[in-house]
Amino acid sequence: ARSSPAHFLRTSSTSPSLYSVYLYTQMIAIQRTSASLVGATTGARSSPATSRRNHRAAAASTVTRRDGMRSHVTSMERRTKNSFRLPAIAMPSPEVNEQMQTMTYNETGKWRENFDLAGWAKEIREVEKEQRSDKYHEEDVKHLKKILGWANMCYYGGLGVMFLLPQLGVAQAFGANVLGAFMMSTAICARWTMVGHHVCHGGYNAAMTEGNEIKGRFHRRKFARGPWNRIIDWMDWMMPEAWDVEHNHLHHYQLGEDADPDLVERNMKTTREGPMPMWARYMQVAALSVIWKWFYYAPNTMKELFARRAREAEKRGEESYQPYTTGSMPSTVLTTVQSAFQGNFGAIIETAKCFAPYATFQFGVLPAVGYAIGGAQMAMATLATTLLADLFTNLHSFIVIATNHVGDDIYRFESETKPRTDDFYMRAVIGSANFRTGGDVNDFMHGWLNYQIEHHMWPDMSMRCYQRAQPKVKAICEKYGMPYVQENVFKRVGQLVDVMVGKRTMLVWENGD
């Protein structure tokens, strides 16, 4: 405002010494305001309700950051800025660095004190540039076909064991062929986590394109698109188009944020904070682990697909339609049934349409083939085997997928970031966990999800790219002192379960963790 004291001092004939006194008093006021705000924030964070258990026992340290890392503004800070508006002051001293930022770090955040984000990101981008070279295209596609061949061998081998070798009594359990079920489940998991996952991310787009023309099957615009391609390429509980929205767009580019549909800590809030005894919480997690793909994941991907369609319709000025009404919380089979009892049948109808191809083939067509081969007894044994295979593949995928971005050593974020920025790459590392890496057999059994750090930095790369890049990325992180979480997958399952039941809590970037 033109009547402000600062304007008066700048425009009047007041002596320079008086102007300096004014600047000094304003600087002292700002420092006192900042100190009180930092104290209030620290006090709130140290309350029992929000303590980070073993991670915040040590006293916090305040440091000045000169690394250029962008500041994350929380809602509290936004309210503070609106509540304490002071006249803009041009600091006269050359010793004051305008880009210096003060941040309070907890014990777990000490690595951030002297972290050189720009230097780290520069070396990471050099690794990225090398991996995007077209000299790897032929090798990468050949490797993809090998992994697909392994998956097909497991699936058809499982069918052969189930139909042709029923005399393997050692492999029977409640009428199901355990060996056949395991082989089929491994193949179903592989088609999703390795083939469908990386192809639909665009990891082979460059190798499948000549000029502007798509030449191959493994391009994200062709693979599993439409009813027939879904059957021959990647048939699972999820509709590929819905999974593309939920996973490729929302999860990958909003990792660990409130808008991330796969944020475990938020999705399990009812269990974590509810009155349920601890033993019952563990039982709930155990049950979810063998049904989660159809019970939670498929309906929730449909919710996100319809939400996107609704947004696009509103932009065009058309009427929007969203049958899934759970808001920011996930949609499940249970919520769709509850909606049906309330008169909203849209969600349960759309979910049933999503389930139909996979359920019909696995639990209808295959038992019918069994009936044709060996009558009713074989049909029932086939049905039991396919049901067991589904339990196995749910558990397998739960172990290697749900564990990727959760734990008391993994960060979540209360602020947004932009794709492909230095900050985006940093979040991919500190917001993810790798498992044991190296060797096609090991990586195959992990569903190639043991490279989550590299995958979240560069989602549109091939499986072989991650194998080549992982040792280099880990070495760069160690060089710059950045946490790089890599641990046995079963230890990560322990972290996951403890977060789901409320025994552990994730780190929060904006809290100085």
Side-chain angles (χ1 to χ4, degrees), residues 3-51:
S3 59
S4 68
H7 177 262
F8 171 77
L9 287 172
R10 287 196 298 268
T11 56
S12 69
S13 57
T14 307
S15 67
S17 61
L18 183 57
Y19 182 41
S20 298
V21 170
Y22 171 77
L23 288 175
Y24 176 78
T25 57
Q26 290 296 309
M27 291 171 64
I28 293 298
I30 291 173
Q31 291 173 351
R32 289 175 177 171
T33 301
S34 300
S36 65
L37 290 172
V38 169
T41 304
T42 304
R45 217 173 24 243
S46 62
S47 63
T50 58
S51 78

Side-chain angles (χ1 to χ4, degrees), residues 143 150 436-445 448 450-451 467:
H143 179 263
W150 287 8
R436 177 189 172 193
T437 54
D440 281 355
V441 174
N442 171 75
D443 295 345
F444 183 87
M445 294 310 297
W448 236 271
N450 46 341
Y451 296 95
Q467 281 186 328

